[in-house]
Amino acid sequence: MDWRNKRVHFRIRDVYIPEAEKLVMKLHGDDLLQGTVGDVAQGETSDACYAVISVPGIDEKLIVRLDEILGDTWTSFQ
């Protein structure tokens, strides 16, 4: 079978080049996630604080710098 010019389906994790993480960042790096802050922690330096966030559909807790949070459900995004 000649595969040239055929539209195909494949999983991102099966991409050989570029690395899957790089591809996902290019495709979805600017997507917005929404979650609930469960805790806030001070970073190693005094000027960095982090939020521990639960996001529906993601098993692991996400840690995000507080100054990178764009808004909440009551405040418009900046």
Side-chain angles (χ1 to χ4, degrees):
M1 173 183 214
D2 186 1
W3 286 95
R4 290 176 288 192
N5 298 314
K6 298 282 185 190
R7 293 182 61 90
V8 296
H9 302 279
F10 55 92
R11 292 182 297 256
I12 291 174
R13 68 173 166 238
D14 293 331
V15 173
Y16 185 68
I17 295 174
E19 295 175 15
E21 289 100 14
K22 289 181 183 178
L23 182 59
V24 169
M25 289 301 292
K26 281 187 174 188
L27 293 172
H28 300 288
D30 291 326
D31 288 1
L32 295 177
L33 295 177
Q34 184 174 352
T36 303
V37 176
D39 198 6
V40 175
Q42 183 70 36
E44 292 180 9
T45 61
S46 60
D47 63 336
C49 289
Y50 296 87
V52 180
I53 304 173
S54 298
V55 176
I58 299 177
D59 294 335
E60 299 176 57
K61 301 280 192 254
L62 306 182
I63 298 176
V64 179
R65 278 181 62 121
L66 283 178
D67 58 0
E68 297 293 335
I69 293 176
L70 299 177
D72 59 35
T73 56
W74 305 108
T75 307
S76 298
F77 295 133
Q78 300 170 357

